Amino acid sequence: MSLPSVLTKFSVLQKGAPLDGASLQGIPREGVVLIDPPLSGETNMAIDEALLRDATPESPVVLRVYRWEQPTLSLGHFQSWDDCRAVPGLSDLPWVRRKTGGGAIVHDQEITYSILIPETRNKSSKGHSELLYRAIHGSAVENLQRLGWDAKLSETCTCSTATNQKEEPFLCFSRRSPVDLIIGTDKIMGSAQRRTSAGLLQHGSLLIRHSPTTPELIGLSELITQFPSKLVQEGFRDDSVGSYNKDMREKGLHDALMDRGCERVIAKAPFDQTAWVNFLILVLKKGLSQIVNCRWQDRNLDEHSVFM
Amino acid sequence: MSILPEELRYLESHEWVSVSNETPGIATVGISAFAVAELTDLVFMALPKVGQSVSAGHEFGEVESVKAVSPMYSPVSGTVVEIHSELVNNLESLSVDPYDGGWIMKVQMSDPSELARLLDWTSYKHQCDNA
C-alpha cells in the first residue's frame, strides 16, 4: 500500500527539528507527540512501521497515541490468523499484523500508543528492553494509584516457550507477563516491542472498557461500575461534603473513604476518551523521562494540520 | 564438526559465521551465546528459504522473545543453500548449544572477502564485555 500523507508531512517535521548531539545520557533529544484521529488498521500499522524503518540517529523520539476507525484485530508478529477462530467473533473483524510481538488485541474500546526511540549508539542490541517496559508501565501504575486505583505490575507470567506456545492465550489481555499493568486481577495495559538497528518500537494498549467482541475482558470503565457507588453514598450519608474534602486533604482518598465504612475505595478517572488520551500521554512522557532526556515539541498535530 | 566460538567471525549484531576447510565456499551462520542470553526465552524464529539471496549486514530472519521481535542479520552475501528447520521447534536448545547444534542457515558465499570485515573473537568478546 502507499504510505499515508502524514509521513511526508512528518518527515518535514523531522527535518525542521534537528537534534543537537542526541544521547541517551542526559543531553536533551527532540521529542514529538503525535495524536492521531481514528485511522484504518493498515494506516496505523504503516505509520508505525515507517517511523521505525526511516529512523536515523538524528530522528526525534516519537510518542504516538491513536485510535482505530473500526474495531480491528491486530495480531502479534508471529501469530497465526487461523488461531483466532478459537475465540468467537474475532474472525469477523478486519485484521492487521503488528511488527511487534506478543498476543492479539481487539482495538475497539482501548487507546493504542507507540513509542519510537531511534538508536544512536548501540546498534548491536537484540531482544526486549526491560527498562522501557518497566519505565512506561511503572509510570502508569504510579499515575493510576494517584487517582485512587489499586494498580500494580503483574509480576506473574503465562509466558510461552517455543514448545508450549499453543498453550498461551491468544489475546494479549488474557496473558500475563511480569510487567503487565493489572488492577485487581484484570490486565489493563500491555505492551510489546520490536528492535532493529534503527531503533526500538514499543506498542501498547490501555483498555478503557470491554469490547462486545471480548466481553470477558474488563476495562477501566467496568472497574469503575464495579465500585458500589451506593456504598460510597451511604458512607457519606451523614457527612457533609466539606468534611469529606477536609479528610481528603488530610488523609487521602483511600483513608477518607475507609473511615466512613466504605467497603471499596472509589477511584477517580478521566471523564471521556480525550481525557484518557491526555492521561496516557502524561503517563508515557513521565515514563520516558526516566530513560531518555526529551525536549518535547508539543505541537500536537490536529486532524486538520496533519491529514488535510 | 565441532565449532569453537574462538574460531568464528562475528557481526556486531551477534550473528556468527563459520567456514570449514572442507567446504570453503559455504558459510554456516548462527547467533552467539551472548545474543541468546540477551534474548532470554525464545518463542519464534522465522528462517529464510533455501534459494533465497541474502546480503551482508541485511536482515535474513527474525526471532521473538519476551514480546520483542528482533531481526537477524546475515554476516555474508550469497544464496541460502540449507536451513536448520528443526531448530524452529527446538529453540531452547540454543541456550545449551548456540554453535554446533544451533546453526541457522548455510550460505553459498558470493564474496568470501566479506569475511575479513567481520569481528574476530577478541574484538567481539571485547564488545560484549563492554555492552
Side-chain angles (χ1 to χ4, degrees):
Chain A
M1 63 173 291
S2 62
L3 294 175
S5 60
V6 64
L7 290 172
T8 309
K9 298 195 177 187
F10 183 73
S11 65
V12 172
L13 182 62
Q14 285 189 350
K15 288 173 187 167
L19 295 177
D20 49 358
S23 163
L24 291 172
Q25 297 174 318
I27 300 171
R29 300 178 66 173
E30 295 294 338
V32 176
V33 178
L34 292 174
I35 305 173
D36 283 347
L39 298 167
S40 70
E42 290 86 352
T43 305
N44 273 331
M45 293 301 94
I47 290 173
D48 288 340
E49 189 173 339
L51 287 172
L52 179 60
R53 185 195 61 220
D54 296 344
T56 69
E58 291 74 35
S59 300
V61 172
V62 179
L63 190 168
R64 178 172 176 251
V65 177
Y66 54 99
R67 285 163 286 156
W68 305 64
E69 64 185 12
Q70 62 180 315
T72 302
L73 178 71
S74 80
L75 302 184
H77 188 66
F78 280 111
Q79 283 191 293
S80 165
W81 183 84
D82 286 339
D83 290 342
C84 81
R85 296 177 197 275
V87 184
L90 291 189
S91 59
D92 297 332
L93 296 174
W95 65 278
V96 292
R97 188 178 299 284
R98 301 190 307 272
K99 297 298 283 186
T100 50
I105 293 177
V106 175
H107 299 277
D108 185 3
Q109 302 295 326
E110 55 81 63
I111 303 172
T112 313
Y113 76 83
S114 58
I115 291 172
L116 173 73
I117 303 180
E119 192 56 77
T120 56
R121 56 194 184 106
N122 185 5
K123 295 182 177 295
S124 64
S125 296
K126 270 190 165 44
H128 71 292
S129 167
E130 180 90 3
L131 193 64
L132 183 59
Y133 276 140
R134 288 195 176 270
I136 297 302
H137 289 202
S139 172
V141 165
E142 184 182 332
N143 285 283
L144 282 167
Q145 285 178 345
R146 279 190 189 151
L147 294 176
W149 295 92
D150 180 26
K152 60 191 175 195
L153 298 184
S154 155
E155 303 295 2
T156 59
C157 196
T158 59
C159 309
S160 62
T161 62
T163 52
N164 70 359
Q165 59 193 257
K166 289 288 184 187
E167 297 167 16
E168 192 166 36
F170 183 70
L171 291 169
C172 167
F173 280 97
S174 297
R175 300 180 176 189
R176 296 292 179 274
S177 75
V179 294
D180 287 336
L181 191 159
I182 60 171
I183 294 177
T185 58
D186 295 296
K187 178 172 171 179
I188 299 301
M189 188 178 192
S191 301
Q193 299 176 346
R194 182 182 188 86
R195 190 197 285 274
T196 72
S197 58
L200 179 63
L201 175 70
Q202 177 165 310
H203 275 143
S205 175
L206 180 68
L207 193 56
I208 303 300
R209 61 176 57 88
H210 82 83
S211 165
T213 311
T214 53
E216 72 279 16
L217 299 177
I218 301 292
L220 282 157
S221 296
E222 286 74 46
L223 288 168
I224 291 171
T225 59
Q226 282 184 6
F227 287 121
S229 56
K230 276 184 71 176
L231 284 176
V232 174
Q233 287 165 5
E234 286 173 3
F236 288 106
R237 186 185 301 158
D238 300 324
D239 295 311
S240 69
V241 173
S243 167
Y244 163 70
N245 285 341
K246 181 171 178 292
D247 274 4
M248 269 289 293
R249 282 194 299 275
E250 293 176 355
K251 300 179 179 177
L253 178 62
H254 181 277
D255 289 348
L257 288 169
M258 297 305 278
D259 282 357
R260 283 162 172 76
C262 292
E263 293 180 8
R264 305 273 305 261
V265 174
I266 198 164
K268 291 189 248 177
F271 60 91
D272 64 12
Q273 196 160 55
T274 301
W276 273 118
V277 166
N278 291 334
F279 172 79
L280 181 57
I281 290 171
L282 173 82
V283 162
L284 299 175
K285 278 186 174 180
K286 282 188 174 180
L288 270 173
S289 70
Q290 296 175 32
I291 52 176
V292 186
N293 184 4
C294 272
R295 188 167 56 219
W296 291 106
Q297 292 180 12
D298 260 34
R299 53 171 101 172
N300 291 345
L301 309 178
D302 61 33
E303 295 183 32
H304 296 289
S305 65
V306 176
F307 292 96
M308 296 299 286
Chain B
M1 182 175 68
S2 178
I3 296 177
L4 299 174
E6 294 84 356
E7 296 173 353
L8 302 175
R9 290 273 179 170
Y10 298 86
L11 272 179
E12 289 182 357
S13 49
H14 308 289
E15 291 80 7
W16 57 258
V17 59
S18 168
V19 180
S20 72
N21 292 330
E22 291 78 31
T23 52
I26 303 291
T28 303
V29 174
I31 57 175
S32 73
F34 183 89
V36 173
E38 202 172 39
L39 286 162
T40 62
D41 294 329
L42 300 172
V43 184
F44 290 100
M45 183 177 280
L47 302 177
K49 289 183 168 57
V50 171
Q52 180 178 325
S53 294
V54 294
S55 300
H58 288 81
E59 187 175 325
F60 73 86
E62 298 172 313
V63 61
E64 177 172 355
S65 61
V66 199
K67 301 198 299 181
V69 178
S70 303
M72 298 183 290
Y73 300 101
S74 180
V76 294
S77 302
T79 303
V80 179
V81 292
E82 190 176 352
I83 57 169
H84 191 178
S85 50
E86 295 82 14
L87 185 64
V88 174
N89 297 318
N90 192 24
L91 292 174
E92 292 91 339
S93 68
L94 276 170
S95 59
V96 180
D97 181 13
Y99 301 108
D100 279 315
W103 68 275
I104 295 172
M105 67 172 179
K106 296 186 179 183
V107 177
Q108 175 71 56
M109 291 184 286
S110 57
D111 182 6
S113 70
E114 290 173 338
L115 292 167
R117 297 183 214 145
L118 301 171
L119 301 175
D120 62 14
W121 169 248
T122 303
S123 301
Y124 177 66
K125 187 171 183 302
H126 179 76
Q127 175 194 306
C128 295
D129 289 344
N130 291 283

